[in-house]
Amino acid sequence: WGVPRRGNVDDLVSFVRDRQIDMVIVTLPLSAEERLSEIFARLKTLPVDVRLCPDAIGFQLENVRMSHLGPLPLINVVDRPLSDWRWTVKTAEDRVLASLILLFAGPLMLFIALAIRLDSPGPALFRQKRFGFNNRLIDVFKFRTMYHEQRDENAEQLTRRNDPRVTRLGAFRRKTSLDELPQFLNVLRGEMSIVGPRPHACRAKAGGLLYQEAVEKYDARHRVKPGITGWAQVNGWRGETETGGQIRKRVEHDLAYIANWSVGLHRHIILRTAFPGFIARPAY
């Protein structure tokens, strides 16, 4: 056909993640059901529009959503969860709220930073590599809650109740989520949103398995920016993940948030976080 082959589906997923791709068009006949199901399952974890270029049978289907790329008719298989005006509104609201919160919380944050330095040696801020939008790694800021020499930058061992690595004041900051305040800087940098799936560390585990091994559709939660708070958190799914069932419930809530996103739901989660749902289930 004169068109070079670039690789397989795995290579396609990597290509989309590495570049600013908005749409993937699949050109296979509807009769290739098994192959289409396999491809669509992989593409549904990406923040892109997925379209199928139909064969003659495809044009006879009813109740399918169609769009056009120039004169080319396409079947809409998957839509990006946030695009156009919804992305603009969410981004604008994030930046405005983050700026206001940092402005008013500035004195409190300075006090917390001083208390950390007096409580134990080491820097006040802690940076940790976590998965962000489209599976890209970002540096997430937190107030340090552990002894500096016992920090766990990759979350090889998640924090547990009465964890000896946590300082006296660190336990209070974790329980009240005051350690998360510096993440509003991540929001201003465009790496996070105020509301979204919580960003997880690279080596975080549940039941001895990495999160992406414990949950089949785990990567689909990265189709939107990670958040400081989220639907899972306000429903009590935060803190320790000792079992695969706990992380699966979190991801289930994350995917429900993505599928049902609206301005109203976004603000509802913010209100439940502030008054007072965020501490309904303690973090250690």
Side-chain angles (χ1 to χ4, degrees):
W1 291 47
V3 179
R5 177 174 177 174
R6 299 293 296 267
N8 56 25
V9 177
D10 290 334
D11 297 318
L12 173 61
V13 171
S14 298
F15 183 84
V16 172
R17 292 204 188 284
D18 292 341
R19 291 167 172 78
Q20 297 294 327
I21 304 298
D22 295 321
M23 180 185 298
V24 174
I25 300 174
V26 179
T27 56
L28 283 174
L30 289 176
S31 57
E33 295 181 18
E34 185 174 342
R35 183 64 174 150
L36 285 172
S37 295
E38 175 191 343
I39 293 174
F40 291 153
R42 296 296 307 281
L43 296 180
K44 285 179 180 179
T45 65
L46 301 172
V48 296
D49 294 326
V50 179
R51 302 291 183 256
L52 174 65
C53 186
D55 54 10
I57 297 176
F59 289 112
Q60 302 174 25
L61 297 177
E62 297 181 357
N63 300 320
V64 295
R65 294 183 302 112
M66 303 288 293
S67 59
H68 287 80
L69 184 65
L72 184 66
L74 302 170
I75 295 177
N76 298 352
V77 180
V78 180
D79 292 326
R80 283 174 289 171
L82 290 173
S83 59
D84 304 324
W85 69 268
R86 297 191 298 173
W87 180 274
T88 302
V89 168
K90 194 171 192 290
T91 299
E93 188 169 272
D94 280 341
R95 297 289 177 84
V96 170
L97 284 177
S99 299
L100 291 174
I101 290 170
L102 287 171
L103 177 64
F104 289 105
L108 173 61
M109 293 176 68
L110 288 174
F111 175 78
I112 292 174
L114 178 61
I116 293 171
R117 297 299 301 272
L118 293 175
D119 187 42
S120 64
L125 283 181
F126 173 67
R127 297 187 182 198
Q128 188 176 62
K129 294 285 186 184
R130 298 192 181 190
F131 288 113
F133 176 69
N134 204 13
N135 272 38
R136 296 190 181 100
L137 290 178
I138 60 174
D139 285 316
V140 172
F141 301 118
K142 295 185 69 174
F143 280 126
R144 180 172 60 86
T145 58
M146 293 185 177
Y147 293 101
H148 182 59
E149 65 276 8
Q150 297 186 53
R151 65 194 184 279
D152 186 358
E153 296 181 348
N154 294 318
E156 294 283 354
Q157 179 183 332
L158 293 182
T159 311
R160 58 190 184 278
R161 187 184 296 273
N162 300 321
D163 197 313
R165 299 173 299 168
V166 177
T167 67
R168 293 173 300 169
L169 295 179
F172 173 77
R173 288 191 297 274
R174 295 180 72 91
K175 184 174 182 179
T176 58
S177 297
L178 289 173
D179 61 321
E180 312 284 0
L181 282 175
Q183 287 169 33
F184 287 102
L185 294 172
N186 288 109
V187 176
L188 284 183
R189 285 158 55 115
E191 299 163 333
M192 290 180 62
S193 173
I194 292 177
V195 178
R198 284 293 297 155
H200 294 151
C202 305
R203 304 296 298 175
K205 296 178 182 178
L209 296 174
L210 294 172
Y211 285 170
Q212 52 267 44
E213 297 171 344
V215 185
E216 182 180 358
K217 298 180 180 180
Y218 177 79
D219 285 344
R221 67 195 300 278
H222 301 140
R223 297 176 68 217
V224 298
K225 289 182 183 180
I228 296 175
T229 183
W231 187 236
Q233 284 64 47
V234 299
N235 282 284
W237 293 102
R238 62 188 299 261
E240 216 169 0
T241 52
E242 295 179 330
T243 68
Q246 289 173 314
I247 187 58
R248 282 192 288 273
K249 290 299 292 185
R250 286 195 195 186
V251 173
E252 177 184 314
H253 281 76
D254 291 337
L255 298 184
Y257 164 77
I258 294 172
N260 298 287
W261 186 90
S262 68
V263 173
L265 178 59
H266 178 85
R267 293 174 180 171
H268 172 73
I269 293 172
I270 291 176
L271 290 174
R272 283 190 59 180
T273 298
F275 309 105
F278 200 48
I279 57 174
R281 184 188 181 100
Y284 308 129

